[in-house]
Amino acid sequence: MDRREVAAVLAYIGHLDPRTIRTGTGDARDQIAQWQELLADVPFATDHGWDVRQAIRTHILDSPYPILPVDVARRWRAHRRDRLDRHTDPTPAADPDDPTAWRDELLRSRNAVATGIAAPSTHHQITSGGQPRDVEERLREIGSYIPPAVRTELARYRPTRAAREAAVAEGVPDTLGVRCDWCHAPVGSPCRQRRASPDGAARGNVVRATPHPSRVDLAAARMDRHRVA
């Protein structure tokens, strides 16, 4: 801060804490010189989180003692340390084979963060390259994670899944995408025959070649609801 800013700071402190006011011309001049000596490297305010007036208000609220210039300087140093602790050096754009340029760019970046000119760069911001995207969106960009030729070979070993994929591709209801209310087959599992045992209990151990009609109707109704939505 320069003399004009230091004088403004002292006037602000005197407004909040009259004990610090110096009435004599010589005393006021000496006070400004002392504060400027200790606050020469402390900015009045920055674009990223520092305002000397906030530091002054915090001290006056927290401490019964009049504020000293070293109190402001220490708060600024703590603020700098906190910013640098949250900062991760981004990869410099300089040629890595030029260590001097590489180092200079890193120092400029750190100094900009420390002095409040730039915001700290977190590790997430460096590695992500932007906002995280939905998995489905990324899969649509890169396509299927199973090559078509491999998928075709696997179809004969996974007839149930192959039938479901074919249904989705043709735009017809995926009957295995819903639970069967008749045989209680879960989603993804084929329907089973329900046979009554001599004691009257229902059993279903034989896999049906086709799903139960009620399951087909339920899948069709679900598809219709999705189309309307």
Side-chain angles (χ1 to χ4, degrees), residues 48 83 85-91 109 113 118-132:
H48 299 280
R83 292 177 62 81
D85 287 344
R86 292 185 287 113
H87 175 67
T88 303
D89 291 321
T91 303
S109 173
V113 172
S121 177
T122 65
H123 181 70
H124 173 74
Q125 292 171 331
I126 293 171
T127 58
S128 68
Q131 294 294 327

Side-chain angles (χ1 to χ4, degrees), residues 24-86:
T25 303
D27 291 341
R29 186 184 303 110
D30 291 342
Q31 186 185 35
I32 292 176
Q34 179 195 28
W35 278 68
Q36 185 181 14
E37 178 70 21
L38 292 173
L39 303 184
D41 297 331
V42 179
F44 188 88
T46 68
D47 294 334
H48 299 280
W50 168 259
D51 191 317
V52 69
R53 293 165 295 186
Q54 180 60 43
I56 293 168
R57 286 195 298 270
T58 301
H59 177 89
I60 292 176
L61 290 172
D62 293 343
S63 174
Y65 302 104
I67 189 170
L68 299 174
V70 293
D71 297 321
V72 177
R74 288 168 182 165
R75 287 185 180 272
W76 165 247
R77 290 189 176 187
H79 178 76
R80 280 170 52 102
R81 286 195 301 271
D82 175 69
R83 292 177 62 81
L84 289 174
D85 287 344
R86 292 185 287 113

